[in-house]
Amino acid sequence: MNEQDDIRALRWEQPGCLKVLDQRLLPATETWLTLESATAVADAIRQMAVRGAPAIGIAAAFGVVLSARQHASLPAAGRVAAIHADMDGLAGSRPTAVNLFWALTRMRGCVERHAGDPGALLREAQTILAEDLAQNLRMGELGAGLIEPGSAVLTHCNTGSLATGGHGTALGVIRTAWRAGRLSRVVATETRPWLQGARLTAWELARDAIPVTLIADSAAATTLRDDAIRWVI
């Protein structure tokens, strides 16, 4: 991590549980949920304790690991069947999340190749997490390189570490650009009705010591007209 990237929404802890920062309670309370089964992961996704397409996919991958651990004592065929049933439950937790199905498809292949071995599945889930972070860091580097020094930017919703494996997508570009001294200011919209901008993006930026101005969604057009916003990310 660096000085503008100290937030993580998910972490795997030994001997075997997924810790999830409950985003429903932010910014007032930072509460970590301990998830020990695929069903618990599916419930956390469904109830929006974890949200953001990349983070949902990563959480589901670790949910498959938890399923494999739970059914590790079964014979290979029974273990694989039980994991597949749990993956169906994970798939139903957020039917519109593309990353969810992408991650489950990748984990399903790993289940088949390794007969549901928990160790192999853990390595695959950790690789998915690491790849997402690496991609976000690269996206931040490429995006920040396009921004003229002194620019003000506006961002909507939450696309940061809370929504991904770390650093963020659009907010990752902002993090990298701020660290490079390219931004004069950051404006975030509140993002109704769930207020991801007000509750999550503003909290992330404040935690990373990046000054942010929060505006009502309905003020976006006026802000773009009057406030020298050069980029919307």
Side-chain angles (χ1 to χ4, degrees), residues 38-82:
T39 299
V41 174
D43 287 342
I45 294 171
R46 185 178 298 108
Q47 296 166 10
M48 294 189 75
V50 56
R51 46 147 298 281
I56 287 171
I58 294 163
F62 283 105
V64 177
V65 178
L66 292 171
S67 174
R69 290 174 59 87
Q70 181 180 355
H71 303 302
S73 62
L74 295 176
R79 180 169 63 248
V80 168

Side-chain angles (χ1 to χ4, degrees), residues 194-213:
W194 209 62
L195 300 179
Q196 294 100 315
R199 297 190 310 104
L200 305 179
T201 295
W203 178 81
E204 279 200 47
L205 292 171
R207 276 285 301 268
D208 281 349
I210 301 174
V212 57
T213 300

Side-chain angles (χ1 to χ4, degrees), residues 116-141:
D117 174 63
L121 289 167
L122 177 58
R123 289 190 293 274
E124 188 75 2
Q126 289 173 328
T127 298
I128 289 173
L129 172 58
E131 288 176 353
D132 184 75
L133 176 57
Q135 290 164 1
N136 292 342
L137 289 168
R138 181 59 173 155
M139 186 187 307
E141 179 184 356

Side-chain angles (χ1 to χ4, degrees), residues 8 10-12 18 52-65 87 90 98-111 113 119-137 161 163-167 169:
R8 292 294 180 267
L10 307 164
R11 66 174 186 255
W12 177 262
L18 181 64
I56 287 171
I58 294 163
F62 283 105
V64 177
V65 178
M87 284 195 289
L90 287 163
V98 174
N99 292 61
L100 171 63
F101 298 99
W102 173 87
L104 289 175
T105 297
R106 181 161 165 177
M107 295 300 289
R108 193 180 302 274
C110 188
V111 170
R113 289 192 303 275
L121 289 167
L122 177 58
R123 289 190 293 274
E124 188 75 2
Q126 289 173 328
T127 298
I128 289 173
L129 172 58
E131 288 176 353
D132 184 75
L133 176 57
Q135 290 164 1
N136 292 342
L137 289 168
S161 293
T164 66
H167 198 63
T169 53

